[in-house]
Amino acid sequence: MKRSRRVLLGAVTVFVLLFAWARWGPMDPLFPHPCSTVLLDCAGNTLAASVASDGQWRMPAGAPVPMRFEHCLIAFEDRHFHSHPGIHLPSLVRAAQQNHRAGRTVSGGSTITMQVARMARGDRPRTWWNKVVEMALALRLEVRFSKDEILGLYAAHAPFGGNVVGLEAAAWRWFGGPPERLGWAECATLAVLPNAPARIHPGRKRDELRRKRDRLLRYLRDTGTMDSLACELAMSEPLPERPLPLPRTAPHLLTTLEQLGHRGERIVGTLDIGIQQRIAAIAERHASALRANEVHNAAVLVLDTRSGHVLAYLGNLPSAGAAHAGAVDIVRARRSTGSLLKPFLYAAMLQSGELMPDQLVADLPTRYEGFAPRNFEEGYDGAVPASQALARSLNVPAVRALHRHGIERTLHVLRGMGLGSIDGSAEHYGLSLIVGGAESSLWELTGAYASLARILLSDVAGPVHPPVVRMTDQGPEDIDQRPPLNRAAIHHTFQALQDLNRPELETGWQRFAAQQRIAWKTGTSFGHRDAWAIGVTDRYTVGVWTGNADGEGRPGLTGSLAAAPILFEVFGTLAAGRDFDPPHDDLVPMAVCRASGLRASVDCTPVDTIPIIRAAIRTPPCTYHQRVFVNATGTEQLEPGGPGHWVSWFTLPPAMEHYYAAVHPGYRRLPAALSSGTDSPMELIYPENAARLHVPIQLDGSFGQVVLHAAHRQPDAVIDWDLDGRYLGRTRDDHRLPLSPEPGVHRLTLTDQLGRTLSTRFECVRGSQSRSNE
């Protein structure tokens, strides 16, 4: 008796140890094979997939097994699946008898669990020893996994013909849809395929495959799993003709995510398949017009402004093809930014108290140590409100603003807004930074514009962060970063980008943008290589790039002509936003001169009191209005005390006035004075005081010339030019004078016909000296 108890206790102990080992002991991965990469949208729809590294279509495990396929599979492969422990002995006995009578192996008697074990062990000969090993592994699988998990393993790794492995890949390859949308006929077809995928699949021996499918459907009808009508309809369905391609709705994003380390994963993205498909269709509609100008590539990015979630990601035109680098993901490619950085500089200067929103800024011929920016339209306005200079994307005011604000300070703001690709030094970029001298990507730029909006939307946490494309990515609430720009500065910036007049090419979009309350900016790189348009509402941020991936420029490739039409058609498919609420707590009422946009002085009229960013109190008051004593008709200045009256007169400095009066016919020049007075009526446009002039070497080895340029309040004035005491010549009306100065420091003196003088100093460097100091 005691011996029997010891034997029983030993047997129980061994059984418990075996069970514990089977259930919790170490176990190598059953299926270490590489998987395809699958990209899903936010609702679980498949956007794109790529073949695994071993050439197989094998989706990552984890998708649930549809109920219809489960019924079909169990009915065909293992009708006792839910009742056996991994082995069904009657099936093994029946299989042995059938094989003995046939003289060859015609049945294996394997349960679904044993088939999972066989698939996990790879392609091994069908011997009795291997069958025993499969039975042992099947028992362990039953201890370790639930029945649903075992079904999931089978569905994920069963062969379905050709290079198709797993139910999900088979559903897409043979029927063009996900497994959960398969009907009875389709599930029955896939249930019988793994039985002999090398001999029977939809591509060959179709009659035999159909007989097996219909036999299974009739069995399901006879057992009450499906009704007669459903069975008849299912048997009338044809078999698939050939393998179908998997979805390619967002192929560039899939490839980029694979390169970022997500190969072989099932990636749940933030994209919306409906928006993605509409954006792709819009881009293709514009592709023909772009191709007519030999422009072959475009990219579009759509973000949810508040969350930063990517809703659509078009990395390139689907029709670009291999000949035009159609596989390149341009959303992530670094390209010249054109004018897209100007809003950040405008906001930074507002925040630092260097600028009023509508303050007049100089738009004059400008040169800084050999760098001479030019406006796109080639002309100059003399003086233009800063907000208009931004909306019109004038290059000269932007470069002058950057020179004043500082390149290093501007780079700090840009990087703080997420533009990490702009990683060079201030010396590397120079003043060209603000007019396309830097490179960034559509990904970063669109994300930075969305971050501007999130700062303005005060209820959004962690406003500055890059776009979010995976549901598992770090959310904005987890990012602790103080934004480099405040709400008031961005409020004025968005007002400038929403409401002001546009260049002639953009006026067609102005009404639409006003209705949608879109703050938008276009950009064009040097040489017409890149055309940009980015727009922001409180709901969506849209970025568009068009151009050639190889960098070839094309005439007419501008943000207004090539990118803005796509931008606004995209916004037309999205829900309209509402205007951003002004940050009232960050604004203060301020008296502003209507003519100059500066803080009003005692001489200004008319004056408007409007809410302005608090930092504007540090800006100087208006200096363009002055009190002058004029005659009764206002045509001549008089000495005070005579028969006249005092008036407040808006007058610009001579250089600004020279260009401003030409484009503003209503501008009234300051009347001439009887005496010469103390204020000089002249101003040097080039060179500015203490400037450094760089004289280039010509192709023939000689030194080039510089053109001195001055402005005088009187259009018919005469100016005599003197350099270091040497008379240079006389100019009338157009005061330009060519000069080949010697290296060194010089003094230039100008004298008009009334003896009034203006002097300035400048330094001249030549040739290699010039180049080494730039």
Side-chain angles (χ1 to χ4, degrees), residues 279-362:
I279 268 57
I282 289 171
E284 276 303 311
R285 281 200 296 272
H286 288 266
S288 58
L290 293 172
R291 283 195 296 269
N293 190 30
E294 295 296 326
V295 176
H296 300 284
N297 305 100
V300 182
L301 189 65
V302 180
L303 308 180
D304 178 285
T305 296
R306 290 181 175 271
S307 65
H309 285 179
V310 177
L311 302 178
Y313 188 111
L314 184 70
N316 211 324
L317 287 174
S319 60
H324 300 289
V328 175
D329 181 3
I330 297 181
V331 168
R332 306 290 183 124
R334 295 173 62 166
R335 310 287 300 201
S336 169
T337 58
S339 297
L340 292 181
L341 304 183
K342 292 175 181 175
F344 300 93
L345 173 60
Y346 177 80
M349 294 187 72
L350 289 171
Q351 179 172 289
S352 62
E354 299 172 82
L355 191 69
M356 293 279 285
D358 299 318
Q359 169 186 334
L360 285 180
V361 294

Side-chain angles (χ1 to χ4, degrees), residues 566-633:
I566 300 175
L567 174 81
F568 287 108
E569 188 167 346
V570 170
F571 268 115
T573 69
L574 303 172
R578 63 179 184 85
D579 205 0
F580 294 94
D581 294 328
H584 296 291
D585 293 341
D586 302 322
L587 306 174
V588 295
M590 198 171 297
V592 178
C593 173
R594 186 181 299 177
S596 69
L598 290 161
R599 287 196 303 116
S601 68
V602 293
D603 295 325
C604 292
T605 181
V607 173
D608 299 315
T609 300
I610 55 178
I612 298 287
I613 184 171
R614 292 178 181 273
I617 197 66
R618 298 199 292 270
T619 60
C622 177
T623 57
Y624 299 138
H625 277 95
Q626 55 181 285
R627 288 175 58 80
V628 295
F629 197 74
V630 297
N631 61 10
T633 59

Side-chain angles (χ1 to χ4, degrees), residues 363-381:
D363 181 23
L364 306 167
T366 300
R367 185 181 295 269
Y368 293 112
E369 297 190 356
F371 176 58
R374 294 187 298 175
N375 293 325
F376 183 79
E377 298 172 350
E378 297 292 342
Y380 303 96
D381 282 7

Side-chain angles (χ1 to χ4, degrees), residues 471-494:
M471 286 298 189
T472 56
D473 283 345
Q474 181 173 329
E477 65 276 0
D478 300 323
I479 300 175
D480 182 19
Q481 178 181 347
R482 182 177 179 181
L485 297 172
N486 62 37
R487 299 170 64 219
I490 296 170
H491 162 72
H492 290 302
T493 303
F494 277 12

Side-chain angles (χ1 to χ4, degrees), residues 56-57 59 69 155 158-179 181-183 185-194 196-206 209 213 237-247:
Q56 303 294 307
W57 284 106
M59 306 305 190
F69 180 77
F160 285 90
N163 67 338
V164 181
V165 177
L167 173 64
E168 186 176 359
W172 281 107
R173 291 289 281 165
W174 294 121
F175 298 105
R181 297 181 187 173
L182 296 178
E186 296 160 335
C187 286
T189 301
L190 295 181
V192 304
L193 269 180
R199 298 197 310 271
I200 305 173
H201 67 75
R204 57 177 177 265
K205 294 189 178 181
R206 297 169 59 81
L209 176 61
R213 182 200 72 175
E237 292 185 21
L239 294 175
E241 295 290 336
R242 62 186 64 85
L244 301 173
L246 269 78

Side-chain angles (χ1 to χ4, degrees), residues 727-766:
Y727 181 71
L728 299 177
R730 172 176 292 183
T731 58
R732 184 187 301 270
D733 301 330
D734 183 18
H735 303 291
R736 303 172 196 258
L737 191 70
L739 177 68
S740 296
E742 294 294 327
V745 178
H746 301 278
R747 174 173 291 278
L748 179 66
T749 304
L750 283 64
T751 307
D752 71 1
Q753 73 275 20
L754 296 181
R756 292 170 293 195
T757 62
L758 174 68
S759 293
T760 188
R761 295 174 66 88
F762 66 89
E763 180 186 3
C764 176
V765 294
R766 281 182 167 183

Side-chain angles (χ1 to χ4, degrees), residues 628-638 643-645 647 649 668-674:
V628 295
F629 197 74
V630 297
N631 61 10
T633 59
T635 58
E636 187 177 13
Q637 291 190 59
L638 303 176
H645 61 281
V647 295
W649 203 285
R668 298 174 61 203
R669 294 179 183 270
L670 189 67
L674 290 177

